[in-house]
Amino acid sequence: FAGQRVIAVSAGGYHSLALTSDGAVWSWGDGGQGRLGHGDWQNQLLPKKVEAFAGQRVVAVSAGGGHSLALTADGAVWSWGEGAFGTLGHGNTQLQLQLLPKKIEAFAGQRVVAVSAGGGHSLALTA
């Protein structure tokens, strides 16, 4: 994180996200339900890079109550963390824990330009 230029931040219910100018995502805080995107439930006291986005350029992030969203330069939306009632956008109505970022296939063929994670819901704006 040191030496990186932060271009966007988002504070969720229990965690925080930062986006650096190189398109990398960093997360820290309560790691419960996988909301930090590191593949585990570990709390992070300092920002840690979300390695699942290696080779991708993320252009926006949003932290929700127990989940997170990222928008990549190609207009794809990724979600991770706690999902119930469709929060993560993967079609699940039961509780789903997504420990690593997963692409939301429902947006295939559409260009998403903005995302927002709420307390228990998610929004995406298409062009």
Side-chain angles (χ1 to χ4, degrees), residues 2-125:
Q4 297 289 331
R5 189 168 71 92
V6 175
I7 60 171
V9 294
S10 182
Y14 302 94
H15 67 298
S16 300
L17 301 174
L19 178 63
T20 51
S21 59
D22 61 352
V25 177
W26 299 75
S27 64
W28 65 100
D30 183 340
Q33 290 80 40
R35 66 177 60 98
L36 299 181
H38 302 297
D40 57 31
W41 287 48
Q42 293 286 90
N43 296 338
Q44 295 296 326
L45 301 180
L46 298 171
K48 181 178 178 181
K49 190 174 188 177
V50 179
E51 297 296 341
F53 289 113
Q56 302 255 15
R57 181 165 184 79
V58 176
V59 296
V61 293
S62 185
H67 70 294
S68 302
L69 299 173
L71 176 63
T72 50
D74 61 358
V77 181
W78 300 73
S79 65
W80 64 97
E82 180 182 1
F85 311 108
T87 303
L88 297 179
H90 303 298
N92 296 65
T93 56
Q94 302 289 321
L95 178 63
Q96 172 193 11
L97 300 179
Q98 183 65 44
L99 302 182
L100 291 169
K102 181 178 178 181
K103 188 176 185 178
I104 301 176
E105 297 300 336
F107 292 117
Q110 299 185 57
R111 180 155 179 83
V112 176
V113 296
V115 293
S116 183
H121 61 290
S122 299
L123 299 171
L125 179 66

